[in-house]
Structure formats: C-alpha cells, structure tokens
Amino acid sequence: MAAKRKRGALAAGKAKRARRAPSAGKAAPEGGPRDRSIPPQENNGIPPQEYCIPPPVSQGPPLGPGHRPPGKWKNKERVLIFSSRGINFRTRHLMQDLRTLMPHSKADTKMDRKDQLFVINEVCEMKNCNKCIFFEAKKKQDLYMWLSNTPQGPSAKFLVQNVHTLAELKMTGNCLRGSRPLLSFDPIFDREPHYALLKELFIQIFGTPQYHPKSQPFVDHVFTFTITDERIWFRNYQIIEEDASLVEIGPRFVLNLIKIFQGSFGGPTLYENPHYQSPNMHRRLIRLSVAAKFREKQQVKEVQKIKKKGTKVLVEEDPTEVVFETPAEEKPVEIQLVKPESKPIVKDKKKLRKIQRKKQKKLFRTEG
C-alpha cells in the first residue's frame, strides 16, 4: 500500500507552486479563498514580488511630489492612410513616409477602383478612425489626395505634384520616430475663409495628439505649410539643438486645391479653385502648342515654294552701271608660220635622258 502523506509535506509542495503574493496593505476578506502564497517570515525574510505594467512612453516617469502627474490621452484622433489600386512606387513610398511620421495613423489594404468613394466612410468606421488621407491614382500618372473628416465632413480634394520621399539623398535630416511635430502655417491661411478651413483640417490630421501611446514626449521637427503660386507647399524640417537651425527631412510635395466639399468624399461644394487646371487640359495645351509650331513651319515652306514658282521681275538697266569699268589693253596677235617640232614619245625615262644628252653633244660640236 502507498504510504500516507504528512501534512507538512503537502504544505511544502504547495509552497513550491506559489508564485506571487498579495500586497501587504490588502487583507483577505473573511470567508473568502485562503491565500496560498508564502508569508514573508516563511520565505526566509524575502518580501513578495510585485508585477506591474509600465506606463506608455508618452506619459513618462512620475515627476515626484509637488509636480503635476503625467497627462492622459484625451484627443483620440486616428487617421486612416491608404490608397486605390494603380499607384506607382513614388506614391507608395510617400504613403509609407506619412505613416512613419504620424504615429496616430492606421493602414488598410488598397481599395478597388470600381468602388465608390463614400465606401471609405464605412472603412474608417470599421477601423475606428475619424480622419482619412486617401490617395487616388488615375491614368497611372495623375495622383489625387483626399483629406476628410469622417463621417460628417468636410473634405478636400487636391492634385499632388512634385513628390520627393524620405529615401532621396537630398533629404539629409533625421528625427526621432514617433515624436510630435510643430505645425507652421503661412499667414495667408488666416486671411481667406477656405484657407482657414484647410488650416483646421491640417491641424486635426497632421497634429499628433498629446500623450498618444505610440508617440514620444519630444518635439524635434516642424511641418510647414506655405502658399505660393496658388498652391500649398508641404515641407518637413528637423530642429537642430545646437543653433536651432532647420534641416529638411522629407517628404515634400505640392498640393493644388481642386474643391472643398461639405460632406465626407462628396456633398455640396463649398469652394472651387478658379486657378485649377486639370492634367488632361495641361497635356492638351502642350500638344496644341507643338502642333501649332509644326503648322507654322509648314506654312513657311509653302510660301517659299510659291515665291520660287512666281515670275521674276526684270529690273531696268542702270546707265551708270558701266562708269567704273576700264577696258583691258589689246595685245597684238602673233601668227605662227612654222610647225612646231614634234617631241619623241618615249615611255622609258632613261632612254629619254640619253637622247637629250646626245642632242646636247651635237650642239657643242657644231658650236666648236
């Protein structure tokens, strides 16, 4: 028969399986389950271990007595950044750069071209996002950007031009991943009503919320929005600590405003840019200018042909034309009565020289 276990051995086995102990300040309620952890006096005087989850990095460590405790994440802005199918590699890198610089952003799969744009509101709702940056590609060469406040609106549509990404060599700056940016706006944003609306939209989308779990409690780069040539120029600069100078990090792009809508991805038009020219119209004007130059060259050639075929106009003789002409001296005409001597035709040059020498010898003899 198996030997009976003693009470002391059972207690020792339970003590080995015990892993954690409650805090000293908390006492077990009466009639509740018994505390199976080892009291401090039974664990050779070692206090029980306490397990705690560290706070987010954005909140930072406690500042000590007399200081305000770290804040709480209240502004829960979440931005969905994705695109349609058919974008090129540069657009893909630009989208990835924006996701890297905005810790409060989320990603999603590419949307099919056949789907309508209002479907994006349902995608944002499923992703628990209240802002959206959507890149729409057309004809594999034109890129459009939608900035929207879902699901109520407003929303704005831009044509994206002159895109440069973080990976290019001219972008020499660097910044901490997840740090919060400063937003710098041109003074024109406060003068026009449609620019003021865009400014508020940019602040809510590109501004990282304070105490966001994925953000860092540092400010080391600046997002600048400048208006030049009826376009919005986006730049990202690093703040150098030594002399507070700025070095460009990237990405950089230019936004040409098309329309501002009251709703999200549609609705009544609040503003339409009168200076906007579509890429199709721009390419059409370039083709027309090239065709006009070609037609002009053809017309010049035809005019030259007509001039050559036309009758030449005879100019009357000028009586003063022969004033400065002097007649040449007349030489007397010499008539040769004696037939010239025929020269012997000799093919060999050595024989010709021998004949000439013989003739010279005869002449000397006759003279002598």
Side-chain angles (χ1 to χ4, degrees), residues 114-357:
K114 298 180 181 178
D115 296 338
Q116 299 295 328
L117 291 178
F118 61 83
V119 180
I120 302 175
N121 296 325
E122 300 177 2
V123 178
C124 292
E125 185 179 358
M126 290 188 292
K127 288 285 184 177
N128 196 18
C129 296
N130 51 2
K131 299 290 185 296
C132 181
I133 299 178
F134 177 68
F135 292 95
E136 185 180 8
K138 291 185 178 180
K139 295 188 176 182
K140 297 184 179 181
Q141 55 184 345
D142 302 330
L143 177 63
Y144 298 91
M145 177 191 287
W146 286 84
L147 300 180
S148 175
N149 179 23
T150 56
Q152 289 85 14
S155 60
K157 184 180 181 181
F158 301 91
L159 174 68
V160 185
Q161 298 171 331
N162 302 333
V163 177
H164 298 276
T165 59
L166 275 168
E168 297 188 12
L169 294 177
K170 62 178 70 176
M171 309 299 181
T172 57
N174 193 8
C175 68
L176 181 66
R177 184 187 180 96
S179 59
R180 301 181 65 222
L182 292 174
L183 300 182
S184 174
F185 291 92
D186 195 282
I188 306 178
F189 277 96
D190 299 326
R191 300 174 191 169
E192 301 291 338
H194 60 280
Y195 283 138
L197 177 61
L198 291 178
K199 178 181 178 180
E200 185 63 29
L201 194 61
F202 288 148
I203 290 174
Q204 295 182 14
I205 291 178
F206 290 97
T208 303
Q210 194 175 12
Y211 305 119
H212 191 276
K214 293 183 180 180
S215 66
Q216 299 290 341
F218 304 102
V219 177
D220 58 354
H221 62 112
V222 185
F223 289 163
T224 62
F225 298 89
T226 311
I227 297 176
T228 306
D229 194 21
E230 304 297 335
R231 291 169 174 81
I232 301 173
W233 300 63
F234 175 86
R235 296 290 184 272
N236 181 20
Y237 295 98
Q238 174 198 359
I239 304 173
I240 299 178
E241 297 180 0
E242 288 78 9
D243 53 353
S245 60
L246 299 178
V247 178
E248 188 171 1
I249 303 173
R252 61 157 72 169
F253 50 87
V254 180
L255 298 177
N256 191 359
L257 178 63
I258 302 175
K259 285 184 181 181
I260 300 176
F261 301 96
Q262 183 177 357
S264 178
F265 296 97
T269 302
L270 298 179
Y271 176 78
E272 184 175 358
N273 187 8
H275 306 283
Y276 171 73
Q277 188 181 60
S278 65
N280 294 332
M281 180 60 67
H282 180 66
R283 288 189 288 266
R284 180 173 178 271
L285 293 177
I286 291 175
R287 290 195 300 269
L288 289 176
S289 64
V290 174
K293 289 182 180 179
F294 180 75
R295 284 197 301 270
E296 185 178 357
K297 290 182 179 179
Q298 292 294 328
Q299 290 176 0
V300 171
K301 289 182 180 179
E302 291 177 358
V303 170
Q304 291 177 353
K305 288 181 180 179
I306 293 172
K307 285 183 178 180
K308 289 180 180 180
K309 290 181 180 179
T311 57
K312 294 182 179 180
V313 179
L314 297 177
V315 182
E316 297 180 356
E317 293 183 358
D318 189 6
T320 62
E321 188 177 359
V322 294
V323 172
F324 298 100
E325 291 184 1
T326 56
E329 296 180 357
E330 296 181 0
K331 295 181 180 181
V333 180
E334 295 180 357
I335 299 173
Q336 190 174 2
L337 301 176
V338 182
K339 182 180 179 181
E341 296 181 357
S342 60
K343 296 181 179 180
I345 300 171
V346 180
K347 294 182 180 179
D348 194 357
K349 291 182 179 180
K350 292 182 180 181
K351 290 183 178 180
L352 179 62
R353 288 174 185 172
K354 288 180 181 180
I355 293 169
Q356 289 177 355
R357 287 172 186 172

